[in-house]
Amino acid sequence: LEDKIRVHEQTIAALVAQKTRLFALMDALPGYVYLQGADHSIRFANRTFRDQFGDPRGRPCYSVMTNRDKPCQHCRPFEVFKTGNPIKWEWTKRDGKTYEIHDYPFTDVDGTRFVLELGMDVTERKRQQEEKAEFENQLIQVQKLEALAALSGGLVHNFNNVLMGIQGEASIMLLHLDHKHPHYEHLRGIQDLVRSAASLVDQLLGFAKATPYQVEPTDINRLIESTSRVFARTRQDITIHKELQDNLSHANVDYGELEQVLLNLFVNASDAMPGGGDLSIGTQDVDLSETDVRVYNMDPGRYVAVSVSDTGVGMDGETQAQVFDPFFTTKTGEKGTGLGLSSAHGIIKKHGGVIKVRSEKGKGSTFSIFLPAWHVKA
């Protein structure tokens, strides 16, 4: 009898030890684990669950995890009760955390059915995936624009030669015609068209980084003050807000070309707000890491950041992907040539910087420029 009692006690001790190890193992898991009954009550929860959601103490899952007073309208674990098949899904809490969830059917020794749920916090992984996707999209954009710039440079030079030929021939014909001749005004019209085309050529050459420029240390805040003051006279229904950092670093830029970039951005913002709105301009010194600049083939370090934001119609993802392409425009009729932003991109790239856009349909747009700082003021 004593032997039977000893064996029985050893068996109980082994079972207790096994149970202790099992619970310790459950508590050591990086993800949460809990058992949910058909009445939504939580029968077991590991330490990770308790740390993230609190001690359930038999309360229903909807109360513990979502602070509801009744079951969720579409309870995913109950699909497992209905079908008997495991499912995998994602759940994002109100605080922004995202969980990858696996629900499995589980039957207790007494035949009671449960759902065993395993949840892993994948918020950081999702963030890294989104950053990787954004990085890859930026890389594609940079490669596409560089290819377009290289192609534009050769074509535009040839086109420019053709224009000069037309201009020369028209000028020679005008020299031999009286201003009352019926073809005189037509030839003058040809000259005007050639000049207009030459202006487009200059913008394309800017995009292709093929035009000469003169740089000098420039106070970007002062340039913004001057340019925005000129623009403000053209659209009094737009309120301009400026948040310019004091003691901002200078940038080594061509004053006229950067002025052209800013005016292009202001005009685009204006076109996006036909009924008026707010235009916000900001500057600040920023330090960009190797991770920040590697896709743009730039050096890490101190940059002068300029942001131009509007409260206009915004852009969808497809439009944003093409916004710096030559001749791409969403403007109708003769309002836009599609060269303003591509020219701006070429100018900023030529200065060793980068221009980016962030927008959402119906929520305005923000263009951000980063220019290498010439020096940092004390």
Side-chain angles (χ1 to χ4, degrees), residues 46-213:
N46 71 343
R47 180 182 298 161
T48 304
F49 183 96
R50 298 192 300 272
D51 289 344
Q52 295 186 16
F53 301 102
D55 192 342
R57 296 186 182 277
R59 289 187 294 151
C61 58
Y62 53 82
S63 173
V64 178
M65 302 179 76
T66 61
N67 199 29
R68 295 173 179 266
D69 56 6
K70 59 183 179 180
C72 304
Q73 187 174 2
H74 301 289
C75 180
R76 298 300 303 276
F78 259 69
E79 294 180 21
V80 179
F81 277 118
K82 293 176 182 178
T83 66
N85 298 320
I87 61 172
K88 174 184 174 182
W89 55 291
E90 280 192 359
W91 171 50
T92 301
K93 288 176 61 181
R94 291 179 180 176
D95 62 5
K97 284 188 176 181
T98 300
Y99 294 85
E100 180 180 290
I101 296 175
H102 299 259
D103 286 325
Y104 300 93
F106 179 84
T107 304
D108 205 351
V109 292
D110 62 0
T112 305
R113 296 174 63 214
F114 294 95
V115 169
L116 174 66
E117 182 164 295
L118 286 72
M120 288 289 296
D121 185 343
V122 295
T123 307
E124 180 62 19
R125 188 178 78 190
K126 294 280 286 185
R127 184 189 66 79
Q128 292 175 354
Q129 289 174 343
E130 290 171 357
E131 286 184 352
K132 180 183 177 183
E134 182 181 359
F135 174 82
E136 290 173 346
N137 287 334
Q138 289 174 345
L139 181 60
I140 291 170
Q141 279 295 101
V142 169
Q143 292 172 338
K144 180 176 70 173
L145 289 169
E146 287 181 347
L148 284 168
L151 178 64
S152 299
L155 292 176
V156 170
H157 277 297
N158 291 333
F159 184 61
N160 197 43
N161 292 335
V162 174
L163 288 178
M164 293 305 98
I166 296 172
Q167 178 79 306
E169 293 292 340
S171 298
I172 292 172
M173 293 175 70
L174 283 171
L175 288 175
H176 297 87
L177 287 181
D178 185 88
H179 71 278
K180 295 181 180 179
H181 192 281
H183 295 324
Y184 188 87
E185 290 302 322
H186 293 299
L187 289 170
R188 291 288 300 272
I190 289 173
Q191 285 191 319
D192 290 340
L193 290 172
V194 168
R195 280 192 287 268
S196 178
S199 175
L200 296 180
V201 166
D202 287 340
Q203 293 186 60
L204 272 174
L205 287 173
F207 171 75
K209 302 172 287 185
T211 52
Y213 66 113

Side-chain angles (χ1 to χ4, degrees), residues 51-52 125 164 199 207 228 263 272 279 332 368 370 376:
D51 289 344
Q52 295 186 16
R125 188 178 78 190
M164 293 305 98
S199 175
F207 171 75
S228 62
L263 285 173
L279 177 65
T332 57
S368 300
F370 297 89
V376 182

